[in-house]
Amino acid sequence: MKSPVPQYLENLLDEVRDNTDGAVADYIPNLAEADPDPLAIALCTVSGRIYAAGDADRLFTMQSITKPFIFGLALQEHGEKVLDVVGLEPSGESFNELSLDRSTHRPMNPMINAGAIAVNQLINGTESSVEDRVAVIHDFLGRLAGRRLSVDGDLADNELAGADRNLALAHMLRSHGVINDDARDAVDSYIRQCAAEVSVRDLAVMAATLANGGVQPQTGERVLDAGVARLTLAVMSSAGMYDGAGRWMARVGIPAKSGVSGGLLGSLPGQLGIGTFSPRLDSEGNSVRGRLLYERLSDSMGLHLMNPAEVGVHAVRSILVHGEDTVLTLQGVINFSAAESILHEIARHDFTEGRLVLDVTRVVTVESIGRRFLSSVLAKMRSAGLDIALHDPEDRLRELTVDGDRPESLDAEELAEVESEPPENDGEW
Ligand code: GLN
């Protein structure tokens, strides 16, 4: 059965497609010439399932989206010593601000350029050549994405030729002994880190790795320790969106990191990774349509981190076959992750005849996305010849209709009668 998720994502893209606010970054020549129009989104669940829409295979450079991951890699290599060279406080300043903590002379956090240059210098040991360090970095980013990433060397060369601002940052860091390498080498190494190329699918998988406690959900490889993944997400949530970080957390509530080429990565712990791409940026350097997509996703999927909702991945409590009837018992909060896992179970079980009884008495709340996905999948099942019935005494699925009408409803007695016939299976399919 076809999942309704891709169509939902297509609709989201359509809602923002005509917005041409903002402008492509112009301080890196290759970005100034970039096509401003591509638009794409991808989601990856912590079970490794990917959904995508729009220009989802289009490659773009990661830029600042590398920062949280390389911070994670530095923590893997050096543990808490990383915090000797970089702080954990939001800076509230723009990404390339020439500022350091006044008393410690460390950059405020690893998400601003000063912090990212300092962290880059730790990778593969402070004595590493630029070449070896960059190779380690790109290899690591490839393990996160589950494939070897290409690198836009031409863009990196051009960026380095005009990198006065980043060079100023590197000189400042050197003058305070935060880095030891030659300033030009430090910036070269950092800029090459930023030039790794990804699609939104890659971003979604990389973000899902953070959401999944450091285990890449497709390859199964533990790429980061759980504590490192958590710390990385924490820093993203307070500083990932630069001087817009506070408003972002209030409005969207998904730890995120933006890049100047238009990518935007978001990671919701225990649930999913998100990647969007749209090159026009706002004055804070964050993708305009990317931001809108996240706002809509957060609202309609109920993804705000501060929602008191339980994580919904175990929404299917059991699937039991009693004669002609299959009873699907749902539980918890039916948010996006829950609806996605329900759809996945239903698709796996290829129901074609008899009656599907949905028992929702254990459901706590249903987000609008849950209702929407459920009704679309139930409609498809009905048109495939299946009868649908609901046991919903407290009307949790309010307004849920299948093809415009309310499905047959079973009361407790009727459900008990269905369940009085011993199940043919043990609930595990
Ligand atoms: N390479 C870019 C720079 O250092 C990355 C900045 C960004 O994506 N915000 O300026």
Side-chain angles (χ1 to χ4, degrees):
M1 180 183 308
K2 235 175 109 212
S3 164
V5 183
Q7 186 57 51
Y8 167 74
L9 296 178
E10 287 292 349
N11 296 348
L12 268 186
L13 294 186
D14 287 343
E15 287 173 26
V16 306
R17 197 178 305 277
D18 295 339
N19 185 316
T20 56
D21 293 349
V24 295
D26 58 6
Y27 73 102
I28 300 174
N30 303 47
L31 294 183
E33 291 155 17
D35 177 0
D37 290 326
L39 180 65
I41 187 167
L43 308 180
C44 179
T45 67
V46 288
S47 323
R49 291 191 289 276
I50 297 192
Y51 301 94
D55 305 302
D57 294 311
R58 176 125 181 171
L59 296 181
F60 51 92
T61 51
M62 284 183 78
Q63 299 298 341
S64 282
I65 302 173
T66 55
K67 290 171 179 172
F69 294 109
I70 304 312
F71 175 59
L73 176 58
L75 287 168
Q76 285 297 133
E77 282 190 11
H78 303 280
E80 298 262 318
K81 279 212 198 85
V82 176
L83 305 180
D84 294 344
V85 306
V86 72
L88 294 175
E89 299 305 328
S91 70
E93 288 176 318
S94 64
F95 70 93
N96 57 7
E97 197 55 44
L98 288 157
S99 73
L100 298 178
D101 184 301
R102 256 187 239 141
S103 53
T104 63
H105 301 302
R106 290 174 318 186
M108 296 295 281
N109 64 66
M111 302 294 127
I112 53 173
N113 285 14
I117 293 170
V119 168
N120 169 284
Q121 287 296 291
L122 300 177
I123 304 302
N124 201 35
T126 46
E127 301 304 313
S128 173
S129 67
V130 172
E131 205 182 9
D132 290 349
R133 174 174 297 134
V134 169
V136 168
I137 285 173
H138 289 148
D139 178 63
F140 171 73
L141 293 172
R143 283 165 58 209
L144 284 159
R147 67 181 191 91
R148 193 142 192 93
L149 299 179
S150 53
V151 178
D152 190 339
D154 184 44
L155 177 144
D157 291 343
N158 289 342
E159 184 176 349
L160 187 61
D164 300 303
R165 186 99 188 172
N166 283 328
L167 285 164
L169 287 171
H171 282 293
M172 184 176 73
L173 291 168
R174 246 177 82 85
S175 76
H176 289 292
V178 180
I179 65 171
N180 300 315
D181 211 354
D182 175 72
R184 196 177 170 80
D185 282 350
V187 172
D188 189 18
S189 172
Y190 159 73
I191 281 178
R192 287 182 201 286
Q193 162 187 324
C194 293
E197 291 182 302
V198 289
S199 67
V200 287
R201 290 177 197 273
D202 296 316
L203 287 187
V205 178
M206 297 169 98
T209 305
L210 291 178
N212 197 29
V215 175
Q216 214 273 18
Q218 293 194 311
T219 61
E221 182 189 352
R222 174 166 288 289
V223 186
L224 292 168
D225 290 343
V228 169
R230 190 180 56 209
L231 182 49
T232 305
L233 282 171
V235 182
M236 264 167 63
S237 67
S238 62
M241 301 298 280
Y242 314 121
D243 38 351
R247 262 173 299 125
W248 177 270
M249 250 350 243
R251 179 75 182 84
V252 177
I254 300 172
K257 186 73 206 77
S258 62
V260 77
S261 58
L264 193 41
L265 168 141
S267 176
L268 200 63
Q271 295 199 55
L272 76 165
I274 306 166
T276 63
F277 178 55
S278 170
R280 289 189 203 87
L281 310 178
D282 62 20
S283 56
E284 278 147 357
N286 301 319
S287 167
V288 174
R289 292 187 297 184
R291 168 188 285 275
L292 290 173
L293 287 171
Y294 273 84
E295 288 179 0
R296 277 154 207 252
L297 272 178
S298 174
D299 279 347
S300 74
M301 290 197 185
L303 294 182
H304 199 294
L305 199 58
M306 301 307 167
N307 275 349
E310 305 158 40
V311 169
V313 278
H314 302 298
V316 178
R317 184 181 171 87
S318 61
I319 301 179
L320 291 169
V321 180
H322 305 271
E324 291 287 284
D325 293 314
T326 301
V327 179
L328 182 67
T329 305
L330 304 181
Q331 62 186 1
V333 173
I334 309 300
N335 56 11
F336 171 75
S337 297
E340 193 273 343
S341 74
I342 296 167
L343 300 183
H344 180 71
E345 287 303 316
I346 289 179
R348 226 155 58 94
H349 298 129
D350 196 25
F351 304 108
T352 45
E353 50 193 38
R355 182 169 66 163
L356 180 73
V357 179
L358 224 56
D359 178 1
V360 293
T361 37
R362 291 168 192 275
V363 166
V364 181
T365 42
V366 184
E367 304 277 353
S368 64
I369 191 84
R371 189 172 300 123
R372 181 168 160 180
F373 282 1
L374 273 180
S375 73
S376 105
V377 82
L378 292 178
K380 282 187 196 143
M381 294 177 80
R382 188 146 85 179
S383 63
L386 216 74
D387 290 325
I388 309 285
L390 291 181
H391 175 55
D392 185 12
E394 293 184 39
D395 203 17
R396 299 255 151 78
L397 290 178
R398 234 179 331 264
E399 294 157 37
L400 180 126
T401 52
V402 177
D403 283 339
D405 38 68
R406 182 83 180 161
E408 173 192 5
S409 148
L410 295 190
D411 62 20
E413 229 171 274
E414 289 163 320
L415 180 68
E417 201 184 309
V418 168
E419 289 179 333
S420 66
E421 185 163 336
E424 289 164 22
N425 66 328
D426 57 7
E428 295 287 327
W429 285 66

